[in-house]
Amino acid sequence: MSKFWSPIVSRLTPYTPGEQPKISNLVKLNTNENPYGPSPKAIAAMAQEVGDNLRLYPNPDAEPLKLAIARRHGLSPAQVFVGNGSDEVLAHAFQALLKHGAPILFPDITYSFYPTYAGLYEVAYRAVPLADDFTIRVEDYLGHGAAIGGIIFPNPNAPTGCLLALDAIERMLAGNPDRVVIVDEAYIDFGGDSAIALVARYPNLLVVQTLSKSRSLAGLRVGFAVGHADLIGALERVKNSFNSYPLDRIAIVGATVAMEDDEHFDRTRKAVIASRGKMVAELTALGFEVLPSAANFVFARHPQHDAAGLAALLRGDGIIVRHFTSARINQFLRITVGTDDACGTLITSLRKHLG
């Protein structure tokens, strides 16, 4: 702590990202990165963009990317916002749409950046307990009226991977017509129906997605939100009061082409889904309880083995998975779906240690 700090700094609990190990040749199944590379067309477009024009500022509105997203989802560009990763988009949403004096609601087991943003922007919140099966109960988010300032949750949820059906989301939206509902869809392409289909009917809905997962561009840092033009306008006002150029020229070009390359997107997404199915079957055969996952990871626990101990044994074999220490989930491991070879290495190691 320093006397030069602003008072809020000492009150913050920063988000802790998944480990990015410095040891080579590890089987890295801890940060939900896509095991398959980005669209070759996107890589070629980014390479072509590298040149003398990097001395010039990028398009401040990332118009080509907004247009590509709008076309894909049958929207107008005025309904699209883009930012430096979905984390930045979410940060702007906390400030622009969720700060109303009343506490916001999100699940007690969820993306741990939410309480971090709430602390940073001084947004009060209430963590709503998940059901015993780790699913979101829509009823818990209804009937609060002006007593809440908004709702945010991931779908599929993280780190559980559990999916909330589209009709359940619609009930939540209809039951909160005067409050913004933000659906964070970082993993939706691996097993669910996007709430983007509801945007035209619900002006209180903001849907946030990322190109880090299903588009294999975690290193590029591109995210976006779609919703009613009034919601997007609020995000734009905050963004242009913070950083008018959040996406660089390379990111705009690469993300635009990646959004348009449906063949690569479909092929790699389906490969991850198929590998997930095989990994779930093999973990179940080893005695694990695996929560139903619609994401590119699974959340699993073994009734006879401590999760922290298993994570340590896997690490000893050069395999990294994510272990959370929160009380309700401290016996679970979150395991990213890798290539079939990577998943096979994981299962071989577990089989050895489980006897």
Side-chain angles (χ1 to χ4, degrees), residues 31-63:
T31 51
N32 302 338
E33 292 147 326
N34 197 313
Y36 305 105
S39 158
K41 294 177 181 178
I43 294 173
M46 288 186 282
Q48 189 172 359
E49 186 67 16
V50 176
D52 182 66
N53 62 359
L54 290 183
R55 64 187 175 81
L56 302 173
Y57 283 108
N59 183 315
D61 293 320
E63 289 171 323

Side-chain angles (χ1 to χ4, degrees), residues 81 92 96-97 228-239:
F81 177 82
H92 290 338
L97 301 172
H228 190 280
D230 288 348
L231 301 185
I232 300 303
L235 296 176
E236 294 286 358
R237 289 174 69 87
V238 168
K239 168 249 185 183

Side-chain angles (χ1 to χ4, degrees), residues 301-314:
R301 63 183 170 189
H302 199 286
Q304 279 98 37
H305 294 270
D306 176 68
L310 283 177
L313 290 170
L314 288 169

Side-chain angles (χ1 to χ4, degrees), residues 117-287:
Y117 285 143
L120 178 61
Y121 296 114
E122 299 183 302
V123 175
Y125 70 89
R126 293 201 334 247
V128 180
L130 295 178
D132 290 342
D133 63 356
F134 297 98
T135 57
I136 291 173
R137 291 177 296 224
V138 173
E139 292 73 19
D140 293 340
Y141 295 83
L142 302 178
H144 299 284
I148 64 170
I151 297 168
I152 183 170
F153 63 94
N155 195 44
N157 196 10
T160 66
C162 296
L163 182 73
L164 191 62
L166 210 54
D167 60 345
I169 294 174
E170 188 161 13
R171 282 201 294 130
M172 191 184 296
L173 289 163
N176 292 278
D178 299 319
R179 294 294 177 266
V180 171
V181 176
I182 300 176
V183 184
D184 181 0
E185 294 187 337
Y187 304 100
I188 195 68
D189 293 323
F190 298 107
D193 295 321
S194 173
I196 291 175
L198 303 176
V199 162
R201 300 204 300 277
Y202 294 94
N204 58 329
L205 170 63
L206 187 79
V207 181
V208 179
Q209 291 194 6
T210 178
L211 276 72
S212 294
K213 315 299 183 186
S214 58
R215 303 282 174 175
S216 305
L217 289 172
L220 202 62
R221 312 307 303 129
V222 178
F224 64 92
V226 301
H228 190 280
D230 288 348
L231 301 185
I232 300 303
L235 296 176
E236 294 286 358
R237 289 174 69 87
V238 168
K239 168 249 185 183
N240 287 322
S241 300
F242 174 73
N243 179 6
S244 294
Y245 300 99
L247 293 185
D248 60 50
R249 285 177 169 270
I250 296 171
I252 292 171
V253 168
T256 299
V257 176
M259 284 299 301
E260 295 170 339
D261 191 350
D262 288 337
E263 187 278 329
H264 182 81
F265 166 74
D266 285 333
R267 179 167 49 80
T268 56
R269 180 179 65 91
K270 290 174 181 176
V272 170
I273 292 170
S275 295
R276 182 185 67 206
K278 287 190 284 187
M279 186 165 73
V280 168
E282 290 173 323
L283 288 170
T284 302
L286 288 174

